[in-house]
Amino acid sequence: MPSSITYPGNIILTGFMGTGKSVVGKRLAALLGRNFLDTDTIIEQGSGKSVAAIFSQEGEQCFRGYEKEVCRELSETRGFVIATGGGMLLDPENRKLLSRNGIIIRLDASIPTILHRTQRHQHRPLLNCEDSEQRIKSLLAGRSAAYASLPFHVDTTGMEPDETAHRALNIVRDVDGSSQFIPVKTHDRGGYTIVLGPEMLRTAGTMLRDRGISSKCMVVTDDVVADKYLQILLGSLKASGFNPEACIIRSGEPSKNLSEVQKLYEAFLKYGLDRSGAVIALGGGVVGDLAGFAAATYMRGVHLVQCPTTLLAMVDSSVGGKTGVDLPQGKNLVGAFKQPLITIADTACLQTLPHKEFLMGMAESIKHAVIRDPELFEHFEKANPNDSGVESIAQSIRVKVDTVEQDPFESGLRETLNLGHTVGHALEKCSNYSLLHGEAVSIGLVAAARLSSETGLCEQTVSQRVEALLERVGLPVRHTMDPQELVVAMTSDKKTRDGQIRFVLIRSIGEVQYGCSVASGVLLHVLSELRV
């Protein structure tokens, strides 16, 4: 294996029939000195039948069942080059399985190219029809959302297999061995991938190439992030044939307002951004929320790419599609759901992140652990308080991904992600946003834990563990606000229903309950106890 390749996982080539997966896979495996596997061949060997025979005798549904079994087996392996059947990764669960230990590259080709290549072979059961071209168009239309969700794309039209193999090799060469790929399923059975790892901004252009995006890409960032990472991103985009421009806002929560959104609209129009272009959000949560809302509403929606540069944005605000801006009456009162094409989280950005900003992300990571991952919580209790390893970040992200996949529009289960936020948002507002979001969430988590204990929902030891962990990593657990003012602020929170303040409370580490009401006397008592 070439010494420059550090990625130890599987390299998975997928895409429509006739795009060259098997022949390119064999060439790539030879270049890397790896073994090559073809999932159709594995199925044929295991069943004793050809793919065509399985389709004709047992049906497509049975074949898809064989594919899922193969995915489960391959998810436990590493170090192979794998070519999949064209329909295997239409199933979100299969995408998740193979992404656990693999990097997925989608091969594409024009319809005339696919038609030409597939006419050479008579073993394509899905093309056994009178009008193959129309059938190809129909199948591609049905698969477009799933194919678009994959992190890397290579258009093989007009390319020889060796050239395509070297394109794939260059993609893998740029991926660090610690990188993680986290698929996110959306309600249209498509989705996107969160790409997490060091130096990923340098591969942004590669990931956006061959996706049908025009050369127009507007990067929205703030004045702090621009000094550090804007040129890296612009350089990557230009190297892949894009013609990007940047719009730089002032850093901080005060920029998250409708006036700034209008300025972005004006910048988009001046640049000539249309619906085939993309808005790229480079920065923390404020930039992601603001640029995401602008992308969701400009021309009724343009492509969005999230490039979070803070731990808080990586594990929380860039995941799940929620975008929005603040009003004087409260946070995030105007917003929209907007899913990105891809999220590129470059963990190298965390090296320049001020420690206080790092702690803001730790607050959300601990929140996720309390909600659904007791093992991650125990890891935080024992690990270095400054731990920012890719694996622990990925675990935290997966908690949110699993939640938003089940409830994409916050109609129920997703409310659990508001743990600590009812009190937290009130603290932010009453401090005139001098209290940072993560600081407010930390205190809000302590309040939620104490409310849970006071109401008998959890043992007192649970509340004590939550508070001790937050203190251990260096987050605040007390406030200086007037408890009565905090209660008034909570009544204008968007989570309130019919005037009733709703809380997410804790049953145990890893299990919470949403939609809870708390007696006003108990709430004031806990808020008073936490005041210094």
Side-chain angles (χ1 to χ4, degrees):
M1 183 183 298
S3 60
S4 58
I5 302 296
T6 64
Y7 186 72
N10 295 322
I11 301 164
I12 299 124
L13 302 182
T14 193
F16 199 71
M17 63 187 86
T19 55
K21 302 182 294 291
S22 295
V23 65
V24 171
K26 291 173 183 176
R27 306 285 176 91
L28 180 60
L31 288 170
L32 291 169
R34 295 189 177 194
N35 290 324
F36 172 74
L37 298 174
D38 186 298
T39 60
D40 283 353
T41 301
I42 294 172
I43 291 170
E44 288 178 335
Q45 291 173 345
S47 66
K49 299 178 182 179
S50 68
V51 171
I54 295 171
F55 266 79
S56 64
Q57 297 171 19
E58 302 180 49
E60 182 177 355
Q61 186 174 357
C62 183
F63 178 75
R64 299 305 175 199
Y66 288 138
E67 284 188 321
K68 186 172 289 292
E69 285 302 315
V70 170
C71 278
R72 291 193 182 103
E73 293 170 8
L74 293 178
S75 70
E76 302 297 326
T77 68
R78 304 186 97 188
F80 292 101
V81 174
I82 301 169
T84 79
M88 176 177 272
L89 298 191
L90 301 182
D91 185 329
E93 184 60 29
N94 289 349
R95 297 199 293 269
K96 192 165 289 189
L97 284 167
L98 291 188
S99 293
R100 277 284 184 171
N101 284 321
I103 176 173
I104 301 175
I105 302 172
R106 177 248 178 132
L107 303 186
D108 193 11
S110 67
I111 289 175
T113 299
I114 292 171
L115 191 61
H116 173 71
R117 290 174 180 172
T118 55
Q119 281 177 340
R120 306 175 198 166
H121 308 284
Q122 303 301 316
H123 62 279
R124 310 278 186 179
L126 290 178
L127 295 185
N128 287 336
C129 57
E130 291 185 5
D131 191 342
S132 296
E133 182 175 0
Q134 187 56 44
R135 179 63 170 157
I136 289 169
K137 289 179 180 178
S138 176
L139 287 169
L140 281 172
R143 297 178 179 188
S144 61
Y147 283 161
S149 74
L150 303 173
F152 294 96
H153 295 230
V154 176
D155 188 345
T156 68
T157 303
M159 292 172 62
E160 293 297 322
D162 281 340
E163 185 181 357
T164 305
H166 278 91
R167 277 278 300 274
L169 179 66
N170 288 335
I171 288 172
V172 179
R173 183 176 284 127
D174 289 338
V175 175
D176 184 82
S178 65
S179 299
Q180 300 258 352
F181 300 88
I182 305 170
V184 183
K185 177 182 67 177
T186 53
H187 67 283
D188 61 358
R189 283 187 62 81
Y192 62 96
T193 300
I194 299 170
V195 181
L196 176 73
E199 306 299 339
M200 280 301 181
L201 283 179
R202 299 183 188 279
T203 69
T206 302
M207 284 185 265
L208 296 182
R209 185 168 53 191
D210 294 339
R211 286 178 177 265
I213 303 172
S214 76
S215 64
K216 295 279 189 178
C217 291
M218 175 64 84
V219 179
V220 179
T221 189
D222 66 39
D223 48 5
V224 174
V225 174
D227 288 343
K228 297 181 175 75
Y229 302 113
L230 178 58
Q231 292 308 314
I232 294 173
L233 178 56
L234 293 179
S236 176
L237 293 169
K238 290 174 182 176
S240 291
F242 293 98
N243 180 31
E245 282 198 14
C247 185
I248 301 173
I249 66 169
R250 185 176 298 176
S251 66
E253 188 75 25
S255 291
K256 212 172 89 172
N257 59 65
L258 289 171
S259 176
E260 289 293 332
V261 174
Q262 183 173 343
K263 291 177 185 177
L264 290 183
Y265 293 154
E266 292 169 355
F268 296 169
L269 287 167
K270 184 177 180 180
Y271 173 50
L273 184 69
D274 60 27
R275 295 191 68 186
S276 64
V279 172
I280 303 177
L282 174 68
V286 169
V287 169
D289 283 354
L290 179 69
F293 181 67
T297 50
Y298 177 73
M299 292 189 175
R300 296 192 178 93
V302 296
H303 298 303
L304 172 67
V305 176
Q306 290 279 11
C307 296
T309 59
T310 67
L311 182 60
L312 176 60
M314 289 178 189
V315 302
D316 186 56
S317 61
S318 69
V319 183
K322 286 168 70 172
T323 69
V325 294
D326 304 335
L327 294 179
Q329 293 85 352
K331 288 194 63 173
N332 301 320
L333 293 179
V334 178
F337 286 96
K338 176 66 175 177
Q339 302 292 355
L341 278 177
I342 190 169
T343 294
I344 304 168
D346 188 340
T347 54
C349 296
L350 301 180
Q351 295 174 5
T352 61
L353 191 67
H355 183 64
K356 193 170 187 178
E357 290 291 337
F358 173 80
L359 290 178
M360 302 306 97
M362 282 302 299
E364 292 289 350
S365 294
I366 291 169
K367 179 199 77 174
H368 289 164
V370 173
I371 292 170
R372 290 189 65 175
D373 197 333
E375 290 183 4
L376 181 60
F377 190 92
E378 290 175 7
H379 167 76
F380 286 143
E381 286 181 310
K382 299 172 184 175
N384 184 331
N386 298 319
D387 175 34
S388 60
V390 171
E391 181 55 42
S392 62
I393 297 172
Q395 280 183 257
S396 181
I397 290 172
R398 287 190 179 101
V399 170
K400 183 160 186 179
V401 168
D402 290 345
T403 303
V404 301
E405 283 182 340
Q406 295 179 63
D407 181 17
F409 299 114
E410 202 170 21
S411 59
L413 180 65
R414 188 166 176 165
E415 285 189 41
T416 60
L417 296 172
N418 290 324
L419 177 66
H421 282 59
T422 302
V423 172
H425 282 169
L427 287 164
E428 286 182 275
K429 184 179 179 182
C430 290
S431 73
N432 199 25
Y433 299 103
S434 63
L435 200 63
L436 297 178
H437 179 69
E439 294 173 324
V441 168
S442 176
I443 300 166
L445 286 172
V446 176
R450 290 212 179 183
L451 288 171
S452 304
S453 176
E454 289 282 342
T455 56
L457 199 62
C458 74
E459 299 289 337
Q460 189 175 15
T461 53
V462 172
S463 175
Q464 291 169 343
R465 284 180 70 191
V466 171
E467 185 168 339
L469 177 55
L470 292 164
E471 275 194 295
R472 180 176 184 269
V473 301
L475 283 159
V477 294
R478 296 291 184 272
H479 68 88
T480 60
M481 312 295 171
D482 181 342
Q484 194 65 55
E485 287 184 17
L486 290 174
V487 173
V488 171
M490 287 180 222
T491 60
S492 65
D493 190 276
K494 66 180 185 297
K495 296 178 285 296
T496 300
R497 298 286 187 276
D498 298 322
Q500 288 289 317
I501 303 171
R502 291 156 57 91
F503 293 89
V504 180
L505 298 181
I506 305 167
R507 287 187 172 276
S508 62
I509 302 300
E511 183 183 3
V512 297
Q513 181 173 320
Y514 63 89
C516 300
S517 297
V518 174
S520 58
V522 175
L523 176 58
L524 282 169
H525 170 69
V526 167
L527 293 175
S528 298
E529 274 194 333
L530 296 180
R531 187 183 187 187
V532 293

PDB file of all heavy atoms in Angstrom, residues 483-495:
ATOM      1  N   PRO A 483     -34.339  34.894  39.578  1.00  0.00           N
ATOM      2  CA  PRO A 483     -35.144  33.729  39.194  1.00  0.00           C
ATOM      3  C   PRO A 483     -36.498  34.096  38.586  1.00  0.00           C
ATOM      4  O   PRO A 483     -36.950  33.447  37.638  1.00  0.00           O
ATOM      5  CB  PRO A 483     -35.314  32.967  40.511  1.00  0.00           C
ATOM      6  CG  PRO A 483     -34.104  33.331  41.305  1.00  0.00           C
ATOM      7  CD  PRO A 483     -33.834  34.769  40.962  1.00  0.00           C
ATOM      8  N   GLN A 484     -37.137  35.131  39.120  1.00  0.00           N
ATOM      9  CA  GLN A 484     -38.446  35.520  38.597  1.00  0.00           C
ATOM     10  C   GLN A 484     -38.329  36.027  37.162  1.00  0.00           C
ATOM     11  O   GLN A 484     -39.176  35.728  36.307  1.00  0.00           O
ATOM     12  CB  GLN A 484     -39.066  36.601  39.487  1.00  0.00           C
ATOM     13  CG  GLN A 484     -40.557  36.827  39.233  1.00  0.00           C
ATOM     14  CD  GLN A 484     -41.405  35.621  39.585  1.00  0.00           C
ATOM     15  OE1 GLN A 484     -41.364  35.115  40.702  1.00  0.00           O
ATOM     16  NE2 GLN A 484     -42.172  35.139  38.614  1.00  0.00           N
ATOM     17  N   GLU A 485     -37.271  36.773  36.868  1.00  0.00           N
ATOM     18  CA  GLU A 485     -37.059  37.257  35.501  1.00  0.00           C
ATOM     19  C   GLU A 485     -36.803  36.089  34.547  1.00  0.00           C
ATOM     20  O   GLU A 485     -37.232  36.114  33.386  1.00  0.00           O
ATOM     21  CB  GLU A 485     -35.877  38.232  35.466  1.00  0.00           C
ATOM     22  CG  GLU A 485     -36.169  39.591  36.079  1.00  0.00           C
ATOM     23  CD  GLU A 485     -34.992  40.545  35.926  1.00  0.00           C
ATOM     24  OE1 GLU A 485     -34.108  40.258  35.083  1.00  0.00           O
ATOM     25  OE2 GLU A 485     -34.958  41.554  36.640  1.00  0.00           O
ATOM     26  N   LEU A 486     -36.116  35.082  35.033  1.00  0.00           N
ATOM     27  CA  LEU A 486     -35.865  33.907  34.202  1.00  0.00           C
ATOM     28  C   LEU A 486     -37.175  33.205  33.843  1.00  0.00           C
ATOM     29  O   LEU A 486     -37.376  32.781  32.700  1.00  0.00           O
ATOM     30  CB  LEU A 486     -34.932  32.930  34.926  1.00  0.00           C
ATOM     31  CG  LEU A 486     -33.477  33.373  35.101  1.00  0.00           C
ATOM     32  CD1 LEU A 486     -32.724  32.364  35.965  1.00  0.00           C
ATOM     33  CD2 LEU A 486     -32.792  33.513  33.747  1.00  0.00           C
ATOM     34  N   VAL A 487     -38.069  33.091  34.809  1.00  0.00           N
ATOM     35  CA  VAL A 487     -39.360  32.441  34.550  1.00  0.00           C
ATOM     36  C   VAL A 487     -40.153  33.228  33.513  1.00  0.00           C
ATOM     37  O   VAL A 487     -40.755  32.649  32.594  1.00  0.00           O
ATOM     38  CB  VAL A 487     -40.161  32.287  35.857  1.00  0.00           C
ATOM     39  CG1 VAL A 487     -41.573  31.767  35.557  1.00  0.00           C
ATOM     40  CG2 VAL A 487     -39.450  31.345  36.816  1.00  0.00           C
ATOM     41  N   VAL A 488     -40.144  34.549  33.623  1.00  0.00           N
ATOM     42  CA  VAL A 488     -40.849  35.387  32.645  1.00  0.00           C
ATOM     43  C   VAL A 488     -40.259  35.174  31.254  1.00  0.00           C
ATOM     44  O   VAL A 488     -40.987  35.045  30.258  1.00  0.00           O
ATOM     45  CB  VAL A 488     -40.769  36.876  33.047  1.00  0.00           C
ATOM     46  CG1 VAL A 488     -41.308  37.766  31.924  1.00  0.00           C
ATOM     47  CG2 VAL A 488     -41.546  37.121  34.334  1.00  0.00           C
ATOM     48  N   ALA A 489     -38.934  35.106  31.173  1.00  0.00           N
ATOM     49  CA  ALA A 489     -38.279  34.890  29.882  1.00  0.00           C
ATOM     50  C   ALA A 489     -38.655  33.533  29.290  1.00  0.00           C
ATOM     51  O   ALA A 489     -38.803  33.390  28.075  1.00  0.00           O
ATOM     52  CB  ALA A 489     -36.765  34.994  30.039  1.00  0.00           C
ATOM     53  N   MET A 490     -38.820  32.538  30.140  1.00  0.00           N
ATOM     54  CA  MET A 490     -39.176  31.196  29.650  1.00  0.00           C
ATOM     55  C   MET A 490     -40.558  31.162  29.021  1.00  0.00           C
ATOM     56  O   MET A 490     -40.820  30.352  28.127  1.00  0.00           O
ATOM     57  CB  MET A 490     -39.121  30.182  30.799  1.00  0.00           C
ATOM     58  CG  MET A 490     -37.723  29.819  31.250  1.00  0.00           C
ATOM     59  SD  MET A 490     -37.770  28.607  32.598  1.00  0.00           S
ATOM     60  CE  MET A 490     -36.495  29.261  33.660  1.00  0.00           C
ATOM     61  N   THR A 491     -41.454  32.017  29.460  1.00  0.00           N
ATOM     62  CA  THR A 491     -42.821  31.986  28.926  1.00  0.00           C
ATOM     63  C   THR A 491     -42.877  32.405  27.462  1.00  0.00           C
ATOM     64  O   THR A 491     -43.847  32.085  26.764  1.00  0.00           O
ATOM     65  CB  THR A 491     -43.751  32.896  29.746  1.00  0.00           C
ATOM     66  OG1 THR A 491     -43.265  34.246  29.691  1.00  0.00           O
ATOM     67  CG2 THR A 491     -43.824  32.435  31.193  1.00  0.00           C
ATOM     68  N   SER A 492     -41.853  33.128  26.957  1.00  0.00           N
ATOM     69  CA  SER A 492     -41.834  33.517  25.539  1.00  0.00           C
ATOM     70  C   SER A 492     -41.014  32.549  24.700  1.00  0.00           C
ATOM     71  O   SER A 492     -40.856  32.748  23.495  1.00  0.00           O
ATOM     72  CB  SER A 492     -41.263  34.936  25.379  1.00  0.00           C
ATOM     73  OG  SER A 492     -39.901  34.981  25.769  1.00  0.00           O
ATOM     74  N   ASP A 493     -40.514  31.482  25.337  1.00  0.00           N
ATOM     75  CA  ASP A 493     -39.723  30.493  24.606  1.00  0.00           C
ATOM     76  C   ASP A 493     -40.626  29.730  23.639  1.00  0.00           C
ATOM     77  O   ASP A 493     -41.792  29.443  23.946  1.00  0.00           O
ATOM     78  CB  ASP A 493     -39.075  29.518  25.597  1.00  0.00           C
ATOM     79  CG  ASP A 493     -38.051  28.611  24.937  1.00  0.00           C
ATOM     80  OD1 ASP A 493     -38.450  27.578  24.379  1.00  0.00           O
ATOM     81  OD2 ASP A 493     -36.859  28.949  24.984  1.00  0.00           O
ATOM     82  N   LYS A 494     -40.085  29.388  22.459  1.00  0.00           N
ATOM     83  CA  LYS A 494     -40.901  28.714  21.440  1.00  0.00           C
ATOM     84  C   LYS A 494     -41.329  27.313  21.859  1.00  0.00           C
ATOM     85  O   LYS A 494     -42.194  26.704  21.221  1.00  0.00           O
ATOM     86  CB  LYS A 494     -40.147  28.658  20.106  1.00  0.00           C
ATOM     87  CG  LYS A 494     -38.887  27.808  20.090  1.00  0.00           C
ATOM     88  CD  LYS A 494     -38.238  27.848  18.717  1.00  0.00           C
ATOM     89  CE  LYS A 494     -37.037  26.918  18.617  1.00  0.00           C
ATOM     90  NZ  LYS A 494     -35.950  27.291  19.526  1.00  0.00           N
ATOM     91  N   LYS A 495     -40.739  26.783  22.921  1.00  0.00           N
ATOM     92  CA  LYS A 495     -41.127  25.447  23.393  1.00  0.00           C
ATOM     93  C   LYS A 495     -42.345  25.486  24.309  1.00  0.00           C
ATOM     94  O   LYS A 495     -42.871  24.446  24.700  1.00  0.00           O
ATOM     95  CB  LYS A 495     -39.935  24.802  24.120  1.00  0.00           C
ATOM     96  CG  LYS A 495     -38.739  24.544  23.215  1.00  0.00           C
ATOM     97  CD  LYS A 495     -37.568  23.955  23.967  1.00  0.00           C
ATOM     98  CE  LYS A 495     -36.839  24.965  24.816  1.00  0.00           C
ATOM     99  NZ  LYS A 495     -36.203  26.041  24.046  1.00  0.00           N
TER     100      LYS A 495
END
